[in-house]
Amino acid sequence: MSEPTKKGLEGTVVAESRTSLVNGQDGKLVYDGYSIETLAENASFEEVAFLLWNERLPNRAELNNLVQVIAYEATLPEGLLAQLKSYPKNADPMAVLRTAVSALAMFDHDSEDNSQEANRRKAIRLTGQITTICAAWDRIRKGNEPIIPRKDLTLAQNFIYMLTGKDPDQTASAAVDTYLVLLAEHGMNASTFATRVTVATGSDMHSGIVSGIGTLKGPSHGGANAEAMHMFLEIGEPENVETWFKKNIKEGDRRIMGIGHRIYKALDPRAAILEQRAEALAKSSGNEKWFQIAKKLADTARADSYFIERKLYPNVDYYSAILLYTINLDVDMFPPLFAMSRVAGWTAHIIEQFANNRLIRPDLNYIGPMGLQWVPVDQR
Ligand code: ACO
């Protein structure tokens, strides 16, 4: 007797974890005991990474040390930089990141060591290196030399520095840091599940992260921030929102990118924080148009019975698109920024998986035919 199929594994619990609690009914998110609101208000990305890897907040000396070690480890091997320079300049940055992280394993003396100590070292190293790959690729594809990370900067500051080659702008670095804090971890999302499935076979951390990046890339997951921005750009002006909504959503078969979530049936708490930050940033930049389009579209959807009945609210990708666009990042760099942050959560889950591992291997209901007779190839 076969079990009923749970399409998309909806509602299936596959692990116990300390990393985060996602409460979809009430719209709450907690990283290892701390609400996302508290962390967004007070924590830096490095503090959050320490929390996820160590299940407690760092003291001052531990935090300073982690900031320095990440900056030190963020330098890329020469061989990898040479590879990056050989990729086609029009390659998708997520494809570049996926390939580069896979290649990084071959330059990492810890890559095949799955001990907890080695995995902690690799978590720190990969967190630094992924940011450097993202910034280096953006420079290389624009015909510029990649920049080596500075040892005196946080990861968010280093990202802006390595993109621009100038002392990092305070506003842009703070916006990136907020983004990194908010996106670092999120329960058993699709990319985290992929990393855990990969390492549960006894494979290594780099392989797990490559699975995570490949899974994050899709428009139903981390690719949605770029898709949301393309949608806002397509709408073009706040006064076009209603016509666009009617034509594409009500009468067409498109989805509003950055709206809807498998778990949240209330407002994603990260979207609430990002809405405020994006609005403040838009005001201070002197260009509120994109925020106004996003806000008007979200309000239009929230007043529509289709969205109300299905409990569809803006998710984390919706207003983060406005935040990242306002600090002048290229739209196709938005998903890599998601990976720059989520690597903290992925690596925490990998460490957790190895601490109590069992092969992850679900089942399926066979619906194919039975008992067919073999026909030799020339008689088919
Ligand atoms: N716009 C319009 N309708 C939507 C949207 C949307 N953004 N999202 C879901 N729906 C509708 C579906 O058409 C479906 O309607 P139906 O029941 O009449 O068929 C219903 O809501 C449920 O949708 P599912 O796709 O079954 O929900 P699921 O939980 O599988 O998908 C998902 C969640 C993929 C996030 C979906 O809401 C979506 O495609 N959103 C847009 C892409 C996006 O923003 N992704 C980022 C998610 S957050 C993250 O990964 C960080």
Side-chain angles (χ1 to χ4, degrees):
M1 182 70 173
S2 59
E3 295 285 321
T5 307
K6 280 190 186 170
K7 200 170 175 207
L9 293 180
E10 184 160 4
T12 311
V13 176
V14 295
E16 287 171 357
S17 177
R18 281 191 58 122
T19 52
S20 61
L21 167 77
V22 184
N23 174 339
Q25 291 311 320
D26 303 327
K28 298 227 176 309
L29 171 61
V30 172
Y31 293 176
D32 218 308
Y34 296 91
S35 77
I36 197 65
E37 290 79 8
T38 300
L39 294 169
E41 199 57 41
N42 300 292
S44 66
F45 174 66
E46 283 85 348
E47 272 174 303
V48 164
F50 189 101
L51 173 67
L52 294 171
W53 294 330
N54 298 283
E55 301 170 2
R56 65 174 177 84
L57 289 172
N59 61 31
R60 170 63 63 195
E62 288 168 329
L63 178 59
N64 290 347
N65 182 56
L66 183 62
V67 171
Q68 279 174 14
V69 179
I70 289 179
Y72 177 79
E73 295 280 10
T75 301
L76 299 176
E78 279 302 320
L80 188 83
L81 282 171
Q83 268 204 27
L84 283 173
K85 289 177 184 172
S86 74
Y87 296 162
K89 301 286 177 284
N90 61 354
D92 178 79
M94 282 298 268
V96 168
L97 186 60
R98 185 193 59 217
T99 306
V101 170
S102 187
L104 263 185
M106 295 179 280
F107 296 96
D108 194 318
H109 54 274
D110 280 330
S111 68
E112 300 300 328
D113 183 347
N114 286 336
S115 67
Q116 291 291 53
E117 299 72 32
N119 278 339
R120 285 171 183 283
R121 289 195 295 274
K122 285 185 279 186
I124 292 172
R125 197 172 299 138
L126 275 163
T127 299
Q129 288 172 327
I130 282 180
T131 288
T132 309
I133 291 169
C134 293
W137 177 247
D138 196 52
R139 287 188 67 83
I140 290 168
R141 70 177 176 167
K142 290 172 178 163
N144 300 318
E145 266 303 302
I147 291 174
I148 295 168
R150 264 168 52 183
K151 308 290 177 277
D152 60 326
L153 298 178
T154 66
L155 198 68
Q157 290 169 333
N158 247 330
F159 178 62
I160 299 296
Y161 165 66
M162 290 190 283
L163 274 183
T164 62
K166 300 185 186 126
D167 275 344
D169 173 74
Q170 185 75 21
T171 309
S173 313
V176 169
D177 196 59
T178 300
Y179 179 83
L180 297 180
V181 166
L182 291 175
L183 278 283
E185 163 57 16
H186 206 244
M188 195 54 77
N189 59 87
S191 56
T192 297
F193 183 53
T195 65
R196 288 187 79 135
V197 170
T198 300
V199 301
T201 66
S203 189
D204 61 286
M205 184 175 270
H206 284 82
S207 297
I209 301 303
V210 170
S211 297
I213 294 169
T215 308
L216 186 71
K217 182 170 177 282
S220 296
H221 191 10
N225 52 14
E227 297 293 332
M229 196 63 228
H230 287 306
M231 182 184 70
F232 301 140
L233 291 165
E234 181 189 326
I235 295 170
E237 296 293 337
E239 54 267 31
N240 298 341
V241 165
E242 272 147 18
T243 322
W244 185 93
F245 181 77
K246 186 165 177 286
K247 181 166 165 249
N248 294 285
I249 306 299
K250 299 308 288 177
E251 294 166 2
D253 59 359
R254 287 174 67 178
R255 291 186 170 202
I256 302 186
M257 300 312 284
I259 284 192
H261 200 277
R262 172 63 63 82
I263 304 288
Y264 290 121
K265 302 305 166 199
L267 182 65
D268 180 336
R270 303 165 299 174
I273 298 165
L274 281 162
E275 180 183 344
Q276 288 174 4
R277 303 285 170 105
E279 183 174 20
L281 199 63
K283 279 198 172 120
S284 66
S285 77
N287 181 2
E288 291 181 62
K289 180 167 98 167
W290 305 110
F291 178 79
Q292 285 166 353
I293 290 172
K295 177 82 179 128
K296 195 166 171 189
L297 181 60
D299 289 347
T300 306
R302 287 305 308 141
D304 187 274
S305 58
Y306 179 93
F307 286 81
I308 294 168
E309 282 159 19
R310 288 165 183 74
K311 300 187 173 149
L312 299 169
Y313 294 82
N315 61 51
V316 71
D317 288 326
Y318 194 79
Y319 287 108
S320 66
I322 304 295
L323 187 92
L324 301 179
Y325 195 73
T326 309
I327 59 167
N328 292 322
L329 292 184
D330 289 354
V331 177
D332 63 357
M333 290 298 289
F334 296 2
L337 247 92
F338 197 152
M340 275 166 50
S341 168
R342 187 55 59 83
V343 64
W346 289 332
T347 48
H349 277 270
I350 290 171
I351 290 168
E352 214 177 43
Q353 184 69 36
F354 274 121
N356 186 16
N357 191 36
R358 188 163 188 236
L359 178 74
I360 299 171
R361 202 299 189 190
D363 209 347
L364 52 71
N365 286 326
Y366 177 66
I367 55 163
M370 297 287 284
L372 298 182
Q373 295 301 309
W374 177 256
V375 181
V377 66
D378 293 330
Q379 295 169 32
R380 284 177 222 155

Coordinates of all heavy atoms in Angstrom, one line a residue, residues 306-347:
Y306 N -8.0 37.3 -4.8 CA -7.1 36.2 -5.2 C -5.9 36.1 -4.2 O -5.6 35.0 -3.7 CB -6.6 36.4 -6.6 CG -5.7 35.2 -7.1 CD1 -6.3 34.2 -7.8 CD2 -4.3 35.3 -6.9 CE1 -5.4 33.1 -8.3 CE2 -3.5 34.3 -7.4 CZ -4.1 33.2 -8.1 OH -3.2 32.2 -8.5
F307 N -5.3 37.2 -4.0 CA -4.1 37.2 -3.1 C -4.5 37.1 -1.6 O -3.8 36.4 -0.8 CB -3.3 38.5 -3.3 CG -2.5 38.5 -4.6 CD1 -3.2 38.8 -5.8 CD2 -1.2 38.1 -4.7 CE1 -2.5 38.8 -7.0 CE2 -0.5 38.1 -5.9 CZ -1.2 38.4 -7.0
I308 N -5.7 37.6 -1.3 CA -6.2 37.5 0.1 C -6.5 36.1 0.4 O -6.0 35.5 1.4 CB -7.4 38.4 0.3 CG1 -7.0 39.9 0.2 CG2 -8.0 38.2 1.7 CD1 -8.1 40.9 0.1
E309 N -7.2 35.4 -0.5 CA -7.7 34.0 -0.2 C -6.5 33.1 -0.1 O -6.4 32.2 0.7 CB -8.5 33.5 -1.4 CG -10.0 34.0 -1.3 CD -10.7 34.0 -2.6 OE1 -10.2 33.3 -3.5 OE2 -11.7 34.7 -2.8
R310 N -5.4 33.3 -0.9 CA -4.3 32.4 -0.9 C -3.2 32.9 0.1 O -2.1 32.3 0.1 CB -3.7 32.4 -2.3 CG -4.6 31.5 -3.3 CD -4.2 31.7 -4.7 NE -5.1 31.0 -5.6 CZ -6.4 31.4 -5.8 NH1 -6.9 32.5 -5.3 NH2 -7.1 30.6 -6.6
K311 N -3.5 33.9 0.8 CA -2.5 34.4 1.9 C -1.2 34.7 1.2 O -0.1 34.2 1.7 CB -2.4 33.4 3.0 CG -3.8 33.2 3.7 CD -3.6 32.4 4.9 CE -4.9 32.4 5.7 NZ -5.2 31.2 6.4
L312 N -1.2 35.5 0.2 CA 0.1 35.8 -0.5 C 0.5 37.2 -0.1 O -0.2 38.2 -0.4 CB -0.2 35.7 -2.1 CG -0.6 34.4 -2.6 CD1 -1.1 34.5 -4.1 CD2 0.5 33.4 -2.5
Y313 N 1.7 37.3 0.5 CA 2.2 38.5 1.0 C 3.6 38.7 0.4 O 4.3 37.7 -0.1 CB 2.4 38.5 2.5 CG 1.2 38.4 3.3 CD1 0.5 37.2 3.5 CD2 0.6 39.6 3.9 CE1 -0.6 37.1 4.3 CE2 -0.5 39.5 4.7 CZ -1.1 38.3 4.8 OH -2.3 38.2 5.6
P314 N 4.2 39.9 0.4 CA 5.6 40.1 -0.1 C 6.5 39.2 0.8 O 6.3 39.1 2.0 CB 5.8 41.6 0.2 CG 4.5 42.3 0.1 CD 3.5 41.3 0.7
N315 N 7.5 38.6 0.1 CA 8.5 37.9 0.8 C 9.8 38.7 0.8 O 9.9 39.8 0.4 CB 8.7 36.5 0.2 CG 9.1 36.6 -1.3 OD1 10.1 37.3 -1.6 ND2 8.4 35.9 -2.2
V316 N 10.9 38.1 1.3 CA 12.1 38.8 1.6 C 12.7 39.4 0.3 O 13.4 40.4 0.3 CB 13.1 37.8 2.2 CG1 13.6 36.8 1.3 CG2 14.3 38.6 2.8
D317 N 12.4 38.7 -0.9 CA 13.0 39.2 -2.1 C 12.4 40.5 -2.7 O 12.9 41.1 -3.5 CB 12.9 38.1 -3.2 CG 13.8 36.9 -2.9 OD1 14.9 37.2 -2.4 OD2 13.5 35.8 -3.2
Y318 N 11.2 40.8 -2.2 CA 10.4 41.9 -2.8 C 11.1 43.3 -2.6 O 11.5 43.9 -3.5 CB 9.0 41.9 -2.2 CG 8.0 42.7 -3.0 CD1 7.4 42.3 -4.2 CD2 7.6 43.9 -2.5 CE1 6.5 43.0 -4.9 CE2 6.7 44.7 -3.2 CZ 6.1 44.3 -4.4 OH 5.2 45.0 -5.1
Y319 N 11.2 43.7 -1.3 CA 11.7 45.0 -1.0 C 13.3 44.9 -1.0 O 13.9 46.0 -1.1 CB 11.2 45.5 0.3 CG 9.8 46.0 0.2 CD1 8.7 45.3 0.8 CD2 9.4 47.1 -0.5 CE1 7.4 45.7 0.7 CE2 8.1 47.5 -0.7 CZ 7.1 46.8 -0.1 OH 5.8 47.2 -0.2
S320 N 13.9 43.8 -0.9 CA 15.3 43.7 -1.0 C 15.8 44.1 -2.4 O 16.8 44.7 -2.5 CB 15.9 42.4 -0.6 OG 15.5 41.4 -1.5
A321 N 14.9 43.8 -3.4 CA 15.3 44.3 -4.7 C 15.4 45.8 -4.8 O 16.4 46.3 -5.4 CB 14.2 43.8 -5.7
I322 N 14.5 46.5 -4.1 CA 14.6 48.0 -4.1 C 15.9 48.4 -3.4 O 16.6 49.3 -3.8 CB 13.3 48.6 -3.4 CG1 12.1 48.0 -4.1 CG2 13.4 50.1 -3.4 CD1 11.9 48.5 -5.6
L323 N 16.1 47.8 -2.2 CA 17.3 48.1 -1.4 C 18.6 48.0 -2.2 O 19.4 48.9 -2.3 CB 17.4 47.2 -0.2 CG 18.4 47.6 0.9 CD1 17.8 48.5 1.9 CD2 18.9 46.3 1.6
L324 N 18.7 46.9 -2.9 CA 20.0 46.6 -3.6 C 20.1 47.5 -4.9 O 21.1 47.9 -5.3 CB 20.0 45.1 -4.0 CG 20.0 44.2 -2.8 CD1 20.1 42.7 -3.2 CD2 21.2 44.5 -1.8
Y325 N 18.9 47.8 -5.5 CA 18.9 48.6 -6.7 C 19.3 50.0 -6.3 O 20.0 50.7 -7.1 CB 17.5 48.6 -7.4 CG 17.5 49.1 -8.8 CD1 18.1 48.4 -9.8 CD2 17.0 50.4 -9.1 CE1 18.1 48.9 -11.1 CE2 17.0 50.9 -10.4 CZ 17.5 50.1 -11.4 OH 17.5 50.6 -12.7
T326 N 18.8 50.5 -5.2 CA 19.1 51.9 -4.7 C 20.6 52.1 -4.4 O 21.1 53.2 -4.6 CB 18.2 52.2 -3.5 OG1 16.9 51.9 -3.8 CG2 18.3 53.7 -3.2
I327 N 21.3 51.0 -4.1 CA 22.7 51.2 -3.9 C 23.5 50.9 -5.1 O 24.7 50.6 -5.1 CB 23.3 50.4 -2.6 CG1 23.0 48.9 -2.8 CG2 22.7 51.0 -1.3 CD1 23.8 48.1 -1.8
N328 N 22.8 50.9 -6.3 CA 23.4 50.8 -7.6 C 24.1 49.4 -7.9 O 25.0 49.4 -8.7 CB 24.5 51.9 -7.8 CG 23.8 53.2 -7.8 OD1 22.8 53.4 -8.4 ND2 24.5 54.2 -7.2
L329 N 23.6 48.4 -7.3 CA 24.1 47.1 -7.8 C 23.4 46.6 -9.1 O 22.2 46.9 -9.2 CB 23.8 46.0 -6.7 CG 24.6 46.2 -5.4 CD1 24.2 45.0 -4.5 CD2 26.1 46.2 -5.6
D330 N 24.1 45.9 -9.9 CA 23.5 45.4 -11.1 C 22.5 44.3 -10.7 O 22.7 43.6 -9.8 CB 24.6 44.7 -12.0 CG 25.5 45.8 -12.7 OD1 25.2 47.0 -12.5 OD2 26.5 45.4 -13.3
V331 N 21.4 44.3 -11.4 CA 20.3 43.4 -11.0 C 20.7 41.9 -11.0 O 20.3 41.2 -10.1 CB 19.1 43.6 -12.0 CG1 17.9 42.7 -11.6 CG2 18.6 45.1 -11.9
D332 N 21.6 41.5 -11.9 CA 22.0 40.1 -11.9 C 22.9 39.8 -10.8 O 23.3 38.6 -10.6 CB 22.5 39.7 -13.3 CG 23.8 40.4 -13.7 OD1 24.2 41.3 -13.0 OD2 24.3 40.0 -14.8
M333 N 23.3 40.8 -10.0 CA 24.2 40.5 -8.9 C 23.3 40.3 -7.6 O 23.9 39.9 -6.6 CB 25.1 41.7 -8.6 CG 26.3 41.9 -9.6 SD 27.3 40.4 -9.6 CE 28.2 40.6 -8.1
F334 N 22.0 40.5 -7.7 CA 21.2 40.3 -6.5 C 21.2 38.9 -6.0 O 21.4 38.6 -4.8 CB 19.7 40.7 -6.8 CG 19.5 42.2 -7.1 CD1 20.5 43.1 -7.2 CD2 18.2 42.6 -7.3 CE1 20.2 44.5 -7.5 CE2 17.9 44.0 -7.5 CZ 18.9 44.9 -7.7
P335 N 21.0 37.9 -6.9 CA 21.0 36.5 -6.4 C 22.4 36.1 -5.8 O 22.5 35.5 -4.7 CB 20.7 35.6 -7.6 CG 19.9 36.5 -8.5 CD 20.5 37.9 -8.3
P336 N 23.5 36.5 -6.4 CA 24.8 36.3 -5.7 C 24.9 36.9 -4.3 O 25.5 36.3 -3.4 CB 25.9 36.9 -6.6 CG 25.2 36.8 -8.0 CD 23.8 37.0 -7.8
L337 N 24.3 38.1 -4.1 CA 24.3 38.6 -2.8 C 23.6 37.7 -1.8 O 23.9 37.6 -0.6 CB 23.7 40.0 -2.8 CG 24.7 41.1 -2.5 CD1 25.3 41.6 -3.7 CD2 24.1 42.2 -1.6
F338 N 22.5 37.1 -2.3 CA 21.7 36.2 -1.4 C 22.7 35.0 -1.0 O 22.7 34.7 0.2 CB 20.6 35.7 -2.3 CG 19.4 35.0 -1.5 CD1 18.1 35.1 -2.0 CD2 19.7 34.4 -0.3 CE1 17.1 34.5 -1.3 CE2 18.6 33.8 0.4 CZ 17.3 33.8 -0.1
A339 N 23.4 34.5 -2.0 CA 24.4 33.4 -1.7 C 25.5 33.9 -0.7 O 25.9 33.2 0.2 CB 25.0 32.9 -2.9
M340 N 25.9 35.2 -0.8 CA 27.0 35.7 0.1 C 26.5 35.6 1.5 O 27.3 35.5 2.4 CB 27.2 37.2 -0.3 CG 28.2 37.4 -1.4 SD 28.2 39.1 -2.0 CE 28.3 40.1 -0.5
S341 N 25.2 35.8 1.7 CA 24.6 35.8 3.0 C 24.3 34.4 3.5 O 24.7 33.9 4.6 CB 23.3 36.6 3.0 OG 22.6 36.4 4.2
R342 N 23.6 33.6 2.6 CA 23.1 32.3 3.0 C 24.2 31.3 3.2 O 23.9 30.3 3.9 CB 22.0 31.9 1.9 CG 21.3 30.6 2.3 CD 20.5 30.6 3.6 NE 19.5 31.7 3.8 CZ 18.3 31.7 3.3 NH1 17.8 30.6 2.7 NH2 17.4 32.7 3.6
V343 N 25.4 31.6 2.7 CA 26.5 30.6 3.0 C 26.6 30.4 4.5 O 27.0 29.3 4.9 CB 27.8 31.1 2.3 CG1 28.3 32.4 2.9 CG2 28.8 30.0 2.4
A344 N 26.3 31.4 5.3 CA 26.4 31.3 6.8 C 25.5 30.2 7.2 O 25.8 29.3 8.0 CB 26.2 32.6 7.5
G345 N 24.2 30.3 6.8 CA 23.2 29.3 7.2 C 23.5 27.9 6.6 O 23.4 26.9 7.3
W346 N 23.9 27.9 5.3 CA 24.2 26.6 4.7 C 25.3 25.8 5.5 O 25.2 24.6 5.7 CB 24.7 26.8 3.2 CG 23.7 27.2 2.2 CD1 22.3 27.0 2.3 CD2 23.9 27.9 1.0 NE1 21.7 27.5 1.2 CE2 22.6 28.1 0.4 CE3 25.0 28.4 0.4 CZ2 22.5 28.8 -0.8 CZ3 24.9 29.1 -0.8 CH2 23.7 29.3 -1.4
T347 N 26.4 26.6 5.8 CA 27.5 25.9 6.4 C 27.1 25.5 7.9 O 27.5 24.4 8.3 CB 28.7 26.8 6.5 OG1 28.4 28.2 6.9 CG2 29.4 26.9 5.1

